[in-house]
Amino acid sequence: MSAQGDQEDWTRHRQEVFEAKERALHAARQAEHEKATTMIREAITRFREAGIAPVPLRAKPYAGPGTIRTALEGWYLKKDRTLAVDTEGRYYVMRVDGGLRSRLQGATPEPRPAPLVVGRGARDGDSFDLPELLQMRLEDPVRP
C-alpha cells in the first residue's frame, strides 16, 4: 500500500472514531436531559402540592440593569433568578439580549437541555446537584 493510501486509511479511521465519540456524547447528554426533566416534573408536582404557585418569570439582560418581561410562568431555581423551570418542566437560563426591543416587547428565552449538575464547572458553591437544588426550592422558594 502506498503512503497516500496509509494516510487516507488513518484519516478515515480518525474521522470514524471522532464521529463515534460525538454520537456517544450526544446520547449521554440526551439521557442526562431526560433524567433531569423527569426530576423537574416530579418537583413541580411537589411544589404544587406544597402550595408553591408558579410566578411570572422575568429574564435578566446580558448587560445592564433591570429585568425583562417574558411570557413564561414557573419557578426560579436560584435566588439570583438566573435559572428557572416553566410549568411544563422546561429548563431555562434566564438571560436575554437587553436591547430596546426586548425591554419594550419582552423576550422569550429558549429552553435548554436540563442538567443533572447545575452550574457544572462553576466556582465552589455555584454548582448544585439538581435534586439538591429542587429540594432547596421546595423548602425555600424564590418569591416575586
Side-chain angles (χ1 to χ4, degrees):
M1 190 175 258
S2 70
Q4 174 134 2
D6 288 344
Q7 179 66 31
E8 289 173 2
D9 286 347
W10 181 84
T11 301
R12 186 173 32 259
H13 174 71
R14 185 173 169 191
Q15 182 65 28
E16 289 170 358
V17 168
F18 175 77
E19 290 171 358
K21 286 183 178 182
E22 281 294 310
R23 284 191 302 273
L25 182 60
H26 177 73
R29 284 181 179 155
Q30 185 62 32
E32 178 179 4
H33 168 66
E34 290 171 7
K35 186 174 181 180
T37 299
T38 298
M39 290 178 182
I40 289 167
R41 289 185 176 145
E42 290 169 356
I44 288 171
T45 299
R46 292 194 317 268
F47 293 162
R48 290 183 188 279
E49 289 170 353
I52 304 168
V55 298
L57 299 174
R58 297 185 66 86
K60 293 185 174 200
Y62 292 119
T67 60
I68 300 185
R69 184 174 26 91
T70 74
L72 301 172
E73 197 173 78
W75 298 266
Y76 292 105
L77 296 181
K78 291 183 70 181
K79 292 281 187 178
D80 67 3
R81 300 176 185 207
T82 56
L83 299 177
V85 294
D86 71 4
T87 57
E88 301 299 315
R90 292 177 291 234
Y91 176 84
Y92 293 87
V93 175
M94 300 302 290
R95 292 282 190 178
V96 296
D97 174 42
L100 182 60
R101 174 182 226 137
S102 63
R103 289 190 182 272
L104 293 175
Q105 297 178 350
T108 307
E110 290 295 318
R112 304 265 180 99
L116 290 173
V117 178
V118 176
R120 183 180 289 137
R123 299 183 316 238
D124 286 346
D126 285 347
S127 69
F128 299 91
D129 289 334
L130 182 62
E132 175 188 352
L133 187 58
L134 293 169
Q135 184 63 35
M136 287 168 48
R137 291 299 71 92
L138 181 62
E139 294 169 6
D140 184 19
V142 178
R143 304 282 183 191

